[in-house]
Amino acid sequence: MRRSLCALLIVLSGCGTHAYHLVQRGDSLYSVGWSYGYDYKDVARWNGLRPPYELTPGQRLRFMPSAGVKVSVPKQPVIVEPEPRATQVPSPSRAPTAQKNTGIVTWRWPADGKIVGRFDAGDPLKKGINIGGELGQPVRAAAAGKVVYSGSGLIGYGKLIILKHNEALLSAYAHNKDLLVTEGETVEVGKQIAAMGSSGANVVMLHFEIRRDGVPVDPIEYLPGRQ
């Protein structure tokens, strides 16, 4: 793992009124925001960053607005733990599109397999769904987008890919065996982006998340129903 646990913890100074992240090699604005549960747009605004949001190792990223603006309480990093296998719960039929800012996003399932872990908004360890499968099985882009992170620097996610679909929606694909795309690459819906694995987990599975404006949402609400 490229970074220590300390590098992912929020550092407080003084009387706890300032919080920041010390940028490590391999960090991106998107991966930092994902780690702490912030919308990348907020982190950029708080730090005066503009696209393409280039970061420098050793740089401090503040997790608070400028003076005079109400401070948001920093969230703890999301650490994903594998769940025991269970029988699949049939997915209800959902509209496979979502619209925000830049138009419609069309979704598809990122991998074949049984759902072995469900989303729970009240549980910090269940911010997505887990899909069981076979080692090396294709992991595909659930929607068209741009690769904004491809690496293994986020604790609890193993080899991870994050895709940006529009200004509001990001998706993540964790615990892969191999990563087949690089940062900055544009992918179409259904393109294979990784091979399923167990990096950061003790079973072979894909951990899949969708976040809207930095907030985890239930992927089942976005994915099309399964027959």
Side-chain angles (χ1 to χ4, degrees):
M1 190 146 316
R2 290 195 314 228
R3 72 183 71 167
S4 66
L5 176 60
C6 291
L8 271 179
L9 296 179
I10 295 175
V11 182
L12 301 178
S13 62
C15 297
T17 58
H18 301 284
Y20 64 86
H21 169 83
L22 191 65
V23 174
Q24 306 292 303
R25 183 179 300 277
D27 279 348
S28 72
L29 182 71
Y30 301 91
S31 66
V32 172
W34 197 278
S35 296
Y36 295 105
Y38 287 113
D39 186 350
Y40 73 93
K41 297 187 295 297
D42 288 336
V43 181
R45 185 173 66 255
W46 296 338
N47 291 275
L49 300 176
R50 297 182 180 277
Y53 305 127
E54 293 182 356
L55 304 181
T56 303
Q59 177 182 356
R60 289 186 178 186
L61 292 180
R62 301 169 66 245
F63 293 135
M64 59 183 297
S66 58
V69 180
K70 183 179 180 180
V71 177
S72 299
V73 178
K75 301 178 183 179
Q76 295 300 319
V78 177
I79 300 178
V80 177
E81 296 293 341
E83 301 182 14
R85 291 185 177 274
T87 57
Q88 181 180 4
V89 178
S91 301
S93 177
R94 304 285 183 182
T97 59
Q99 189 170 359
K100 175 66 181 278
N101 295 345
T102 57
I104 293 176
V105 176
T106 300
W107 298 90
R108 59 156 286 166
W109 283 81
D112 296 328
K114 293 181 178 180
I115 299 175
V116 297
R118 307 283 294 194
F119 174 86
D120 183 349
D123 188 332
L125 301 182
K126 298 179 180 179
K127 296 305 184 184
I129 60 174
N130 297 334
I131 302 173
E134 302 295 329
L135 187 66
Q137 177 180 323
V139 172
R140 303 185 184 279
K146 181 179 179 180
V147 180
V148 293
Y149 182 79
S150 179
S152 56
L154 275 69
I155 292 176
Y157 285 91
K159 293 183 178 180
L160 171 71
I161 290 171
I162 300 176
L163 299 183
K164 177 185 177 183
H165 305 292
N166 59 28
E167 291 305 308
L169 293 165
L170 301 174
S171 63
Y173 311 74
H175 303 315
N176 299 291
K177 175 180 178 291
D178 300 303
L179 305 178
L180 306 180
V181 291
T182 58
E183 290 179 20
E185 186 174 344
T186 299
V187 298
E188 297 298 324
V189 60
K191 175 181 172 63
Q192 184 176 357
I193 58 175
M196 192 180 293
S198 58
S199 62
N202 58 16
V203 295
V204 175
M205 67 177 187
L206 170 67
H207 176 75
F208 176 67
E209 294 186 23
I210 297 176
R211 296 196 184 182
R212 188 180 188 93
D213 294 323
V215 179
V217 295
D218 188 351
I220 300 300
E221 299 288 338
Y222 289 75
L223 297 172
R226 281 179 165 178
Q227 300 298 324

